[in-house]
Amino acid sequence: MFKKNKSGRSRLELIPEFYYLPEMFGNSNGYHLGQREDGKMVCDVELPPWANKPEDFVRINRMALESEFVSCQLHQWVDLIFGYKQRGPEAVRALNVFHHLTYEGSVSLDSITDPALREAMEKQILIVGQTPSQLLIEPHPPRSSAMHLCFLPQSPLMFKDQMQQDVIMVLKFPSNSPVTHVAANTLPHLSVPAAVTVTCSRLFAVNRWHNTVAPGYSLEQAHHLPIEMDPLIANNSGSNKRQITDLLDQSIQINTHCFVVTADNRYILVCGFWDKGFRVYSTETGKLTQIVFGHWDVVTCLARSESYIGGDCYIVSGSRDATLLLWYWSGRHHIIGDNPNNSDYPAPRAVLTGHDHEVVCVSVCAELGLVISGAKEGPCLVHTITGDLLRALEGPDNCLCPRLISVSSEGHCIICYERGRFCNFSINGKLLAQMEVNDSTRAIMLSSDGQNLVTGGDNGVVEVWQACDFKQLYIYPGCDAGVRAMDLSHDQRTLITGMASGSIVAFNIDFNRWHYEHQNRY
């Protein structure tokens, strides 16, 4: 991990585990690792003062690695290791000269006939290490990081003081039915970037998204309202195309888990029907395109993974039969399953078992290959996407009824239980933090980097928390109705919430303004 150059200066090179594996710093098995000279037993790794626990050490390490300061300096590291400062006069000027045997091509071991000399050379190379191949002979260009962009005249000034008000706009739908699901698929390459909303009366709307901070827009244009109401809903002309009329099971309470919108905004998946299946509807025509069966009881919740290129993704369905089924959505054929000729009888990729009660919430992460689910009672379970049960996430005694789950690609799982209780688990089952809020939480959302948590509930207050320790970062002004659903735009700058009053509220949100590093630097 340490390398020393000709000047005698050491360079520390950290292995990847320093940035994602906190378990490596703890002697969880209690192995006897010997005794130090002062008589103290060797056990856990002693951490620096700025890290209270291994999870803090790894998290802060990763934040430093991904910081804008490192991004701005990264090209200089490339020049030293792979570039024009690796050898020659530039390497001497940069004090970047190592033992001559470490350089590629400096010696041909096959040409050494003396076995003793060859063995000595091999041991020297093994001990000192080897310098990577030189890939560049000219300076590497700097990365166009956010620190560079924030000084361009047409930039959104992402690290400047936020001048806009907290609430961008309020959009009221004529139906007055609570907006129970929001899906903000706003990427500019989509044919219809939109914020799709679904109400408790199963009336959906494809509300056009105007990407006002894209390249080519001026700062004046950026103040335009980002969401345009679905014209079929606004004019009440053809709103029957937006109504899901198939009957649900009478005992189903409609919530955000009953719906999934595909990444291209073209299809809505709906569960809760009496026939124990879930359905796929076209958002363009409103017509039913597929019915999927597989469970022995009513399907109670659905979830979608992040989408691959082409729109393929995993769909997970949970049921009252206490099982979950993993399905594959084909973005090419726009169906559940791989074979369009057999769309009436698609087969699940995996069956996930282990719960004793009705499944009420689920989250799936294709990047980690994991499904995390919660039943009406009992611990949340972690499965692989192949169906293997990995572990149960055991919370405190008063956390037995999970209601909402959100998982980050870094492997942290936020679970909201009844009565406003929250727990943060590592993917290996360690309880990292817990809190209790004075609200009946209905919606939670993690930022794309997994560092921030946004919550909303019946009190109508949207709050932002630091996900790792539940430190409160910001409270938005209270709304006149409860929050039922929420989602973030692709650029993480707009939070869209569905309200119990039948409206959606778009909030300005910039997670960087609460970040300690940026708060002090900019």
Side-chain angles (χ1 to χ4, degrees):
M1 292 166 59
F2 285 94
K3 279 192 176 182
K4 186 173 289 188
N5 60 14
K6 197 170 183 179
S7 68
R9 294 197 308 177
S10 295
R11 184 174 72 222
L12 177 63
E13 297 181 355
L14 300 182
I15 59 176
E17 284 78 2
F18 272 78
Y19 300 95
Y20 74 86
L21 190 65
E23 286 78 10
M24 67 180 271
F25 299 102
N27 185 12
S28 58
N29 293 313
Y31 291 128
H32 182 72
L33 303 176
Q35 196 172 18
R36 301 194 322 191
E37 291 182 356
D38 59 2
K40 188 176 180 180
M41 297 299 296
V42 177
C43 192
D44 296 339
V45 174
E46 291 188 7
L47 301 173
W50 46 264
N52 296 323
K53 53 188 177 182
E55 288 76 18
D56 287 342
F57 182 81
V58 169
R59 178 179 58 85
I60 296 171
N61 251 353
R62 187 165 61 242
M63 288 173 61
L65 182 67
E66 300 293 342
S67 68
E68 294 302 329
F69 179 78
V70 172
S71 294
C72 288
Q73 310 295 326
L74 199 58
H75 63 287
Q76 299 185 36
W77 176 82
V78 174
D79 290 337
L80 288 171
I81 307 302
F82 302 102
Y84 79 109
K85 291 183 180 181
Q86 189 197 89
R87 303 188 186 191
E90 291 295 337
V92 175
R93 277 194 281 271
L95 299 178
N96 193 42
V97 180
F98 296 88
H99 193 282
H100 71 280
L101 289 180
T102 66
Y103 291 97
E104 184 181 45
S106 62
V107 62
S108 176
L109 294 176
D110 294 333
S111 64
I112 301 175
T113 57
D114 184 354
L117 180 59
R118 179 183 174 122
E119 184 181 0
M121 289 281 192
E122 288 177 341
K123 287 185 177 179
Q124 178 75 14
I125 294 172
L126 185 63
I127 293 172
V128 178
Q130 286 186 291
T131 304
S133 301
Q134 187 176 18
L135 304 179
L136 305 168
I137 58 174
E138 295 179 352
H140 192 282
R143 176 184 172 188
S144 294
S145 72
M147 287 179 70
H148 294 132
L149 293 174
C150 70
F151 297 110
L152 296 177
Q154 296 298 322
S155 76
L157 304 177
M158 62 186 303
F159 297 132
K160 301 297 182 184
D161 292 335
Q162 185 172 5
M163 299 304 295
Q164 302 98 332
Q165 57 188 0
D166 285 330
V167 177
I168 304 173
M169 63 178 294
V170 178
L171 198 62
K172 182 71 173 66
F173 294 108
S175 70
N176 292 325
S177 180
V179 177
T180 192
H181 186 82
V182 176
N185 298 314
T186 60
L187 284 166
H189 71 263
L190 296 175
S191 57
V192 183
V196 179
T197 57
V198 190
T199 69
C200 276
S201 60
R202 288 168 290 141
L203 184 70
F204 67 89
V206 184
N207 308 289
R208 183 92 190 192
W209 172 266
H210 297 288
N211 191 26
T212 56
V213 293
Y217 281 87
S218 68
L219 289 177
E220 290 73 20
Q221 288 174 302
H223 292 294
H224 290 177
L225 297 179
I227 304 172
E228 177 186 349
M229 186 183 293
D230 188 328
L232 292 183
I233 300 297
N235 303 327
N236 201 25
S237 58
S239 60
N240 58 314
K241 290 176 61 176
R242 301 289 194 243
Q243 181 69 56
I244 298 170
T245 56
D246 291 2
L247 294 177
L248 297 183
D249 189 274
Q250 290 184 351
S251 62
I252 284 291
Q253 290 185 343
I254 295 178
N255 57 41
T256 187
H257 299 304
C258 295
F259 308 95
V260 157
V261 179
T262 58
D264 57 6
N265 293 318
R266 296 178 63 184
Y267 295 88
I268 295 179
L269 285 66
V270 186
C271 70
F273 298 98
W274 62 271
D275 59 7
K276 305 170 188 176
F278 65 91
R279 287 157 164 72
V280 182
Y281 296 89
S282 166
T283 59
E284 184 179 355
T285 64
K287 292 182 178 179
L288 176 66
T289 61
Q290 188 180 16
I291 304 178
V292 182
F293 296 105
H295 287 284
W296 293 96
D297 207 334
V298 174
V299 180
T300 51
C301 58
L302 295 170
R304 172 175 73 84
S305 73
E306 60 271 28
S307 180
Y308 298 122
I309 295 175
D312 292 2
C313 64
Y314 288 114
I315 300 292
V316 178
S317 58
S319 170
R320 280 193 188 144
D321 63 14
T323 68
L324 301 109
L325 298 180
L326 182 80
W327 310 86
Y328 198 77
W329 171 264
S330 171
R332 177 183 177 187
H333 302 298
H334 309 297
I335 58 169
I336 295 285
D338 301 315
N339 185 1
N341 298 321
N342 193 30
S343 62
D344 291 338
Y345 303 100
R349 291 286 182 94
V351 180
L352 315 180
T353 60
H355 289 294
D356 297 324
H357 301 275
E358 168 187 340
V359 180
V360 296
C361 53
V362 62
S363 181
V364 53
C365 180
E367 187 173 349
L368 297 176
L370 296 175
V371 177
I372 303 176
S373 56
K376 204 166 187 178
E377 295 180 24
C380 290
L381 301 182
V382 182
H383 289 85
T384 68
I385 56 175
T386 56
D388 296 323
L389 176 60
L390 289 182
R391 62 183 52 85
L393 302 179
E394 299 277 0
D397 293 339
N398 56 0
C399 296
L400 295 175
C401 301
R403 292 297 175 259
L404 300 165
I405 297 176
S406 187
V407 60
S408 73
S409 58
E410 283 76 28
H412 287 180
C413 180
I414 307 291
I415 301 175
C416 174
Y417 298 87
E418 275 190 340
R419 300 178 182 175
R421 298 185 177 102
F422 284 80
C423 289
N424 181 1
F425 293 92
S426 74
I427 211 63
N428 290 320
K430 183 178 180 181
L431 178 61
L432 303 177
Q434 57 181 307
M435 73 167 176
E436 186 171 346
V437 299
N438 187 25
D439 194 1
S440 180
T441 305
R442 297 293 194 102
I444 63 175
M445 186 79 200
L446 277 171
S447 59
S448 60
D449 60 4
Q451 300 293 329
N452 303 278
L453 172 70
V454 187
T455 65
D458 288 344
N459 291 346
V461 178
V462 174
E463 299 175 87
V464 184
W465 313 82
Q466 191 165 281
C468 63
D469 56 5
F470 293 131
K471 174 186 175 184
Q472 191 175 67
L473 300 176
Y474 195 72
I475 303 177
Y476 282 92
C479 301
D480 59 356
V483 177
R484 294 292 183 89
M486 63 174 60
D487 202 4
L488 283 163
S489 60
H490 72 280
D491 58 6
Q492 304 284 288
R493 295 191 161 282
T494 306
L495 175 72
I496 305 167
T497 61
M499 312 302 292
S501 59
S503 61
I504 58 175
V505 180
F507 295 91
N508 267 312
I509 194 164
D510 186 354
F511 296 110
N512 291 313
R513 62 175 162 156
W514 300 302
H515 196 292
Y516 179 83
E517 176 185 347
H518 296 297
Q519 187 176 356
N520 285 271
R521 181 171 297 175
Y522 301 102

